[in-house]
Amino acid sequence: MTVEVEHDPAAPGQGSGAIWTGTSTTAVPSGNYTGVAIPSGKLTNGWKVRWRARATAAGVNGAWTTWHALTIAVSSVAPAAVRTGVALTSDPNTSGPFDYQRMSPADCNAERRKSPRPWHGFGWTVLRPYTGCYSRIAGWGDWEVDQLTGIPTSECPKSEGVRMTVNVIMYTNLGTKKGEPVVHGENDRELQAWDISIWIDITELIVMDSNCNQTNMLDGRNITVRVEAVGSDNADCNQIKGPAGGKRVAPIGDFKRSGNGRTAWIFRSEGTRWGNCTLRPKLYPGVSVDFLDPEPFKLWHHLGTEQIPTRPKGDFPFVARCDSIRLSYPVPKANGQPGNDWIGYSGGCRILGADRVYTMYADDPFRSEVARHIRDAFQNPQATDPKLDRNGNPITKSFPGNYDVIPRPPLTRRARNGRAPDGPLLNSKNRTQMTWYCPNLPGAGPGKQCDECPFASTNQAIGVEGQLINNVWTPTFNASLRQVSTDHNQAAGRDLAAFYARYRVFTSGQLEGGAGNWPSNAFWVRIRNGAPPS
């Protein structure tokens, strides 16, 4: 097993980049824990760091885990080994802890390098629900480049040229209880659910002459980085930390100095129940001393006439959709007490355009029967039950929501009190079909429940999806029903409710704009092999 430890990008004042990498050569059986000890002197008390790990089997390296953040607290006891493993999760209520899926500038840059056109002037964008990044090569001067790929056609500029790597990182947060820290925010109690952190990271900044020699002749010329913030939908977007006026103006030589290429801001969305905060990071080149307002580099997703395959065309800056609403999910009370406790998240900011994907695992010890049902329905919909509608006609099926197919129409969450066009509650329409079909399915009996795909809480559920015929809401029957363990079915329901709460999946069908322009209640499902992460 190999472990990497680096400075947390959220604390740029403490340093940046890698701190330590270590490898354990001790063989460990699958499902057990192992660890490595970080040598003394590598870490400093109070540092915010993050770590990731990967396993090696038969000489083949596995995938890296996601980054995990922690704060160093040095005590008199020996430092504990960094602990990771592949043991099964022991939580029957959710399939894993909440993960922001944070990225560092190095991660973002690596994603660009893997893209079809890593040198292209439009850059490369990665959006996750609570983390966004944009990466590009920026430069000016007499460089000759290929107009399609952006790759320099010569190593040297004709006279003088400036070139740099620019990465933009954006972090948003998920709230917990009112007055409590955000999720994973115990070490920064001032951080709120409506705070948006963004920074521009400039590295590999060089000035080169026509002989391919690096020079300092332009070090006195200024570069400007700024973030323009605009609130909308009844919300303001106010800067609470960062350079005055939202911009940093500094000489090229200042940006070139080690550790000085990063500029950070924090904005706060302040409104009523919800609102948008749109951020446009920009880089202004120092073309000349007298040229005070050059055309900036846009540091967000924008594609013009030249289409990069699989990338949407248009101009889509970073947008955080913030709310102050409490969403909860049930957890059975301990010690066999009747009823549920309700775990909730109050407020949060998610990044528009990032797909929300509910992931289940085929070997989840608490939910595998439901996960396998959905997997089978996605893979072979015509083999699922019911095969005939209530008039005895064959049902043609095609299930939405599968994230692993293209195109990928989403599922959409519905309101519990929603009504069909002919008047009755949609819940009643759904129950009517379930009551008709489920008792006759194979495996019905004690300890079993009827699981449905698509989920009962979606607009695509059996009895809910349909059309109005002769003023009567007529269902499509585009669904799969299967008898599964009661425990697995209920655990999966709690897990889905936790997903809705964590990723702010409301019931509004309003289109959100952005690259996908999906409705606010859209989400997808992905079924993975194996067990959930521990």
Side-chain angles (χ1 to χ4, degrees):
M1 182 188 70
T2 301
V3 174
E4 290 184 347
V5 182
E6 69 171 30
H7 289 282
D8 191 332
Q14 296 179 349
S16 63
I19 297 173
W20 177 81
T21 300
T23 301
S24 170
T25 57
T26 304
V28 179
S30 177
N32 292 324
Y33 289 105
T34 187
V36 292
I38 301 175
S40 176
K42 292 291 184 181
L43 303 173
T44 299
N45 191 41
W47 269 4
K48 292 183 178 181
V49 303
R50 62 182 195 162
W51 64 270
R52 65 179 181 176
R54 69 180 180 189
T56 301
V60 178
N61 291 326
W64 287 105
T65 65
T66 56
W67 287 104
H68 301 273
L70 56 87
T71 298
I72 304 303
V74 177
S75 67
S76 58
V77 299
V82 175
R83 189 172 185 236
T84 186
V86 292
L88 300 182
T89 178
S90 59
D91 184 359
N93 300 307
T94 66
S95 58
F98 175 75
D99 184 357
Y100 283 121
Q101 296 183 300
R102 297 303 197 203
M103 300 178 71
S104 69
D107 297 330
C108 190
N109 196 46
E111 290 294 321
R112 176 185 58 80
R113 289 179 178 275
K114 293 187 295 185
S115 71
R117 299 180 188 171
W119 281 81
H120 204 286
F122 290 123
W124 193 256
T125 307
V126 177
L127 297 181
R128 298 170 179 172
Y130 292 92
T131 301
C133 93
Y134 173 86
S135 180
R136 67 164 293 163
I137 301 295
W140 52 91
D142 293 330
W143 302 94
E144 291 185 347
V145 299
D146 183 280
Q147 294 300 309
L148 180 64
T149 66
I151 299 175
T153 56
S154 62
E155 295 184 5
C156 312
K158 291 182 179 179
S159 57
E160 289 179 330
V162 180
R163 191 169 67 206
M164 67 192 75
T165 300
V166 185
N167 292 290
V168 179
I169 305 293
M170 176 175 169
Y171 286 175
T172 60
N173 302 287
L174 175 64
T176 52
K177 295 180 180 179
K178 187 175 182 180
E180 294 293 319
V182 299
V183 175
H184 306 322
E186 295 81 1
N187 298 312
D188 188 356
R189 301 186 69 88
E190 294 183 358
L191 197 64
Q192 297 186 14
W194 311 281
D195 291 348
I196 304 151
S197 302
I198 186 168
W199 64 91
I200 300 174
D201 197 71
I202 294 177
T203 58
E204 300 174 319
L205 172 55
I206 61 171
V207 180
M208 189 173 289
D209 64 21
S210 59
N211 295 317
C212 286
N213 297 315
Q214 292 194 36
T215 175
N216 298 324
M217 291 183 63
L218 300 181
D219 280 12
R221 293 188 178 178
N222 286 336
I223 293 176
T224 300
V225 290
R226 69 181 303 182
V227 176
E228 297 175 354
V230 177
S232 61
D233 207 359
N234 300 314
D236 294 325
C237 188
N238 300 317
Q239 180 180 330
I240 61 173
K241 290 185 179 180
K247 65 180 179 180
R248 175 189 174 191
V249 183
I252 288 177
D254 191 36
F255 279 95
K256 286 168 67 174
R257 280 192 283 273
S258 177
N260 216 25
R262 180 171 300 175
T263 312
W265 296 259
I266 297 179
F267 295 87
R268 180 167 293 166
S269 177
E270 298 179 292
T272 52
R273 286 170 62 84
W274 52 68
N276 289 350
C277 184
T278 300
L279 301 179
R280 292 181 172 88
K282 297 180 179 181
L283 166 68
Y284 292 82
V287 176
S288 72
V289 175
D290 300 321
F291 195 20
L292 300 180
D293 191 23
E295 182 69 20
F297 291 93
K298 295 180 179 181
L299 304 180
W300 63 83
H301 178 97
H302 60 285
L303 282 182
T305 57
E306 294 181 46
Q307 180 75 31
I308 296 179
T310 75
R311 308 300 284 183
K313 186 184 298 184
D315 191 285
F316 307 116
F318 292 102
V319 181
R321 178 70 165 172
C322 301
D323 72 85
S324 58
I325 300 170
R326 180 175 173 82
L327 293 180
S328 304
Y329 65 93
V331 173
K333 290 185 176 180
N335 302 321
Q337 297 295 314
N340 295 309
D341 290 320
W342 287 83
I343 308 299
Y345 300 95
S346 294
C349 292
R350 66 178 180 86
I351 299 175
L352 295 193
D355 297 336
R356 291 170 288 181
V357 183
Y358 175 49
T359 303
M360 302 188 74
Y361 296 84
D363 294 324
D364 186 326
F366 304 105
R367 285 163 286 269
S368 61
E369 292 186 26
V370 174
R372 293 176 185 182
H373 173 207
I374 298 172
R375 178 194 63 190
D376 295 345
F378 282 163
Q379 291 179 349
N380 193 1
Q382 292 305 126
T384 63
D385 290 317
K387 296 179 175 62
L388 304 176
D389 66 19
R390 293 177 64 168
N391 295 319
N393 300 312
I395 305 170
T396 300
K397 300 182 181 183
S398 177
F399 300 133
N402 185 356
Y403 196 70
D404 291 320
V405 299
I406 300 293
R408 49 169 75 116
L411 295 170
T412 54
R413 187 186 181 190
R414 65 182 177 90
R416 293 181 59 85
N417 60 352
R419 291 185 177 274
D422 59 349
L425 288 169
L426 289 171
N427 277 345
S428 175
K429 297 280 190 181
N430 173 251
R431 289 298 96 192
T432 296
Q433 303 306 325
M434 296 288 285
T435 302
W436 174 271
Y437 281 111
C438 288
N440 300 314
L441 292 176
K448 296 286 189 176
Q449 283 186 346
C450 192
D451 180 46
E452 53 186 304
C453 172
F455 303 119
S457 57
T458 67
N459 289 302
Q460 294 73 33
I462 189 169
V464 176
E465 182 181 68
Q467 55 185 326
L468 200 63
I469 301 178
N470 297 325
N471 294 320
V472 176
W473 188 245
T474 305
T476 62
F477 301 101
N478 183 38
S480 174
L481 305 178
R482 178 183 290 185
Q483 294 288 343
V484 300
S485 157
T486 296
D487 289 342
H488 280 228
N489 200 39
Q490 293 180 352
R494 291 191 294 269
D495 193 38
L496 179 61
F499 170 80
Y500 287 158
R502 289 169 169 176
Y503 292 96
R504 323 310 289 165
V505 184
F506 297 103
T507 57
S508 168
Q510 178 181 355
L511 296 178
E512 294 186 331
N517 198 27
W518 299 113
S520 295
N521 55 352
F523 70 100
W524 291 262
V525 180
R526 166 174 278 165
I527 308 299
R528 292 191 180 277
N529 294 326
S534 57

